[in-house]
Amino acid sequence: MRYLIKSLSIILLLVLSSSFRVKYPNITHTISIKIENIRNTKGTMQLQLYQSQKAFAAETPYKTIRISKENVSDNTLYYKIKGLAQNTYGVALLDDENNNKEMDYGLFFPAEGFGFSDYYHTGWSKPTFHDFKFFLKKDKTVRMKVRYM
């Protein structure tokens, strides 16, 4: 009898402990991007996803995505980044017109376009991550207006 009570107690304990475990599904989100003010269809758009000021300053993105410009219509292009976990992100953009995967410069200024998530940079120096970051807790749409100098 003692063995039966002990066995039942263990089984009951296991059942109760397993019922308190919360199983969270692997929830991911999507960033829908509207890129505006694209001056031509040469080259590709390069999106870089950052998660911190340190990574942005070091130019080490969490993710880099190259997008064909073949679907540009009315100087606008749409793209979705899917499967992102809840976190802080910022999206930087390079209009890489010659496909060399880096910003080209003229005499002093960038020769190719650039942009940032929900932030139009008008300064002469590089913005900070704080200027264009956001916290992704649900699907989000961001607007990026390409600036050419």
Side-chain angles (χ1 to χ4, degrees):
M1 183 71 167
R2 216 180 246 194
Y3 177 74
L4 180 63
I5 292 173
K6 188 174 183 180
S7 295
L8 287 174
S9 297
I10 291 173
I11 290 171
L12 181 63
L13 186 62
L14 288 173
V15 168
L16 286 175
S17 68
S18 67
S19 67
F20 286 112
R21 289 187 201 149
V22 178
K23 295 183 180 178
Y24 294 101
N26 189 10
I27 298 173
T28 61
H29 306 290
T30 298
I31 301 172
S32 299
I33 302 172
K34 179 181 182 182
I35 304 168
E36 302 173 301
N37 197 40
I38 302 168
R39 71 177 167 194
N40 61 50
T41 57
K42 293 188 287 186
T44 56
M45 285 292 171
Q46 181 170 294
L47 299 177
Q48 293 182 316
L49 205 59
Y50 291 95
Q51 293 181 316
S52 69
Q53 173 60 38
K54 183 177 178 182
F56 179 62
E59 296 183 13
T60 54
Y62 164 71
K63 182 179 252 186
T64 299
I65 302 161
R66 298 186 57 80
I67 307 167
S68 168
K69 290 167 65 177
E70 68 185 356
N71 293 323
V72 170
S73 178
D74 294 325
N75 302 72
T76 303
L77 182 63
Y78 296 89
Y79 188 77
K80 291 185 179 194
I81 304 173
K82 299 178 181 181
L84 296 173
Q86 181 172 300
N87 205 337
T88 299
Y89 297 98
V91 184
L93 171 147
L94 165 65
D95 184 358
D96 190 10
E97 295 173 311
N98 62 0
N99 283 321
N100 68 349
K101 300 180 183 177
E102 62 184 44
M103 173 65 79
D104 293 312
Y105 291 87
L107 190 56
F108 295 107
F109 303 108
E112 297 175 305
F114 57 92
F116 303 93
S117 45
D118 291 329
Y119 175 72
Y120 187 72
H121 187 64
T122 57
W124 296 106
S125 61
K126 187 175 177 179
T128 66
F129 179 70
H130 177 74
D131 293 325
F132 63 96
K133 74 177 181 176
F134 55 90
F135 187 74
L136 186 66
K137 59 184 172 187
K138 62 181 181 177
D139 292 354
K140 178 172 177 56
T141 299
V142 299
R143 180 176 169 238
M144 301 181 80
K145 185 175 180 184
V146 183
R147 181 174 181 205
Y148 301 93
M149 299 184 87

